[in-house]
Amino acid sequence: MAEFEVATGAAELPAGDDRGREAAVRTAFEGLLQIRRLMNADTADAEGVPAEWERRQPVRAVALALEAAGVPPSAVDAEGRRTATGYCLGAADRTGVVRVDWLGPPGSGAGYAAEDALRTCADVLRRLGWDALEYRGARRHRYLEVEPPPAGPPRR
């Protein structure tokens, strides 16, 4: 069985039909929640806190959370041209922090939709226990920086 490939928005969309992809995402996300329940058993809200696995692979975890919530990923073709509008993830300047951009092909209006789309991304991630802050970069380009909250002592 092939390893599940997350859609980061920085590459071509993972192969497969839409219904098969939806099922695979749903299964992978349920697995993530099960990992949270097992690894965070000592916390008051086991599913509401990123597990150690997510802290070690934050881009994969954030991509899975966004796609499972129905947020579309962006994509590029084999030549690197953007082909779809959606989230695009990568590592931020600080270790363990994920940068979330809202990108699309030229003329797609992705820049105009970025504020609302990134707000949706931040809401999804915050419900899952991630810290998400919006920033503006060059030419007022909006993006999020997402990270797990600091690890603390178990809560009961």
Side-chain angles (χ1 to χ4, degrees):
M1 182 174 182
E3 180 180 331
F4 176 77
E5 183 181 346
V6 297
T8 64
E12 294 182 65
L13 290 173
D17 65 69
D18 288 343
R19 222 180 319 184
R21 177 70 187 176
E22 287 174 15
V25 168
R26 193 171 40 256
T27 299
F29 187 70
E30 285 302 319
L32 175 79
L33 293 178
Q34 181 63 23
I35 289 170
R36 282 183 170 203
R37 286 188 290 270
L38 293 171
M39 301 305 293
N40 295 334
D42 292 340
T43 61
D45 180 14
E47 287 186 9
V49 180
E52 187 58 33
W53 176 88
E54 295 169 274
R55 292 173 183 277
R56 289 193 313 265
Q57 299 183 65
V59 171
R60 288 182 57 84
V62 168
L64 179 56
L66 290 175
E67 191 173 4
V71 180
S74 185
V76 296
D77 63 17
E79 286 79 41
R81 291 183 300 253
R82 193 126 325 256
T83 60
T85 299
Y87 64 81
C88 183
L89 309 179
D93 293 336
R94 294 180 292 130
T95 302
V97 179
V98 178
R99 180 173 167 144
V100 181
D101 291 282
W102 191 260
L103 303 176
S108 67
Y112 295 109
E115 182 176 6
D116 289 338
L118 290 172
R119 186 175 300 123
T120 297
C121 292
D123 289 346
V124 165
L125 296 167
R126 286 180 185 132
R127 282 193 303 269
L128 291 168
W130 294 88
D131 292 336
L133 297 174
E134 183 180 319
Y135 294 94
R136 288 192 186 186
R139 291 180 275 175
R140 301 182 55 79
H141 175 82
R142 295 173 185 270
Y143 64 95
L144 298 177
E145 285 195 355
V146 179
E147 63 186 318
R155 298 176 305 219
R156 279 253 174 210

